[in-house]
Structures are given as structure tokens and as C-alpha cells.
Amino acid sequence: MPAVALSRAAARVVESGPTGPRVAADTWVRLEALPDPRSPRGRVYPLACLVAVALCAFTAAGHDRLSAVGQWIKRATQADLARLRAPRAPMAGRYRAPDEKTVRVVLDRLDPRALSAALLGGRPAPPAPAARDTA
């Protein structure tokens, strides 16, 4: 899914509050139901957490580029990471922040229609127009 489309959808599901951006409660249920394209082996971050980080980065930063995700993550506080359900590092006692590459790879592998349906409340995205063969 192009970052611009994801950014527009993010504006619909991320709520701004006094403590910063947060993902709407009903959206968590839909994000957690997304099929995870990653191998179960070696997963550190839940899929819903990574998508939520991207959504908040696009909405809070006002950007539509994946580089905005890396910039937003660097500024994210421990409270932000807790709201986004980031995993907690047991030894450090702090929430772990994903890096931009992790978010980028996951967004690239996600099924765009499933992500659109999750963000838009179950309404599937319209199919992409078919390419015409001019030969």
C-alpha cells in the first residue's frame, strides 16, 4: 500500500488526545486480526504494534513518507510506546521501539486489501484498475 494512502487512512483511525496520538479502540481489534506475513520465528513486535506505529507517525508528523516513521520513532516517549503496545525489554524494563526498516518491511509485505479493510472498518478497498494491454 502506498504511504500516501496509508497516511490518509491513518487520519481516520488515530485520535489525538492530551497525551498524544493514540489508535482508536475498535481499530486495535481489526489490526490484531490482520494476517501476519512474517514467519513466527524471531518476531519481536506484534503486527498491530508496527502498523499502529506507522499510523501514528504519519498522522502526528503530518507526512506521507516512510522516512517520517523513523523520525517519529526516535521522538516517541515510553508512554507513546506503551499506548502502541510495544513489547517491554525484560532486562532494561523499558518499552522497545522498532526501527524504520522493521516497519517498512512489514508494511511492504502486508496484503493491501486486508490492511485497507482493517483501517476502514471492514469495508474492502476497491480493486485496482486492470492494466490495459496496448499491443
Side-chain angles (χ1 to χ4, degrees):
M1 169 173 276
V4 174
L6 185 58
S7 178
R8 289 183 187 135
R12 296 183 188 118
V13 298
V14 175
E15 301 169 345
S16 292
T19 58
R22 65 183 178 85
V23 177
D26 61 328
T27 304
W28 276 115
V29 174
R30 294 190 308 267
L31 289 179
E32 289 170 347
L34 278 172
D36 198 332
R38 303 172 293 168
S39 166
R41 193 171 174 199
R43 285 185 199 166
V44 174
Y45 300 97
L47 179 62
C49 169
L50 296 174
V51 174
V53 164
L55 294 175
C56 287
F58 287 142
T59 304
H63 298 290
D64 58 2
R65 303 279 185 260
L66 287 169
S67 59
V69 174
Q71 295 168 3
W72 188 84
I73 290 171
K74 289 178 186 173
R75 292 189 309 266
T77 65
Q78 286 291 297
D80 293 333
L81 295 172
R83 277 194 306 276
L84 295 172
R85 303 179 183 178
R88 200 166 166 85
M91 299 300 281
R94 297 177 48 87
Y95 291 98
R96 298 177 64 168
D99 61 7
E100 176 188 346
K101 182 179 179 186
T102 301
V103 175
R104 181 183 301 267
V105 167
V106 167
L107 290 179
D108 189 47
R109 290 182 184 173
L110 272 177
D111 175 22
R113 289 186 184 199
L115 181 58
S116 293
L119 295 177
L120 300 174
R123 296 183 310 261
R132 288 189 168 175
D133 187 13
T134 58

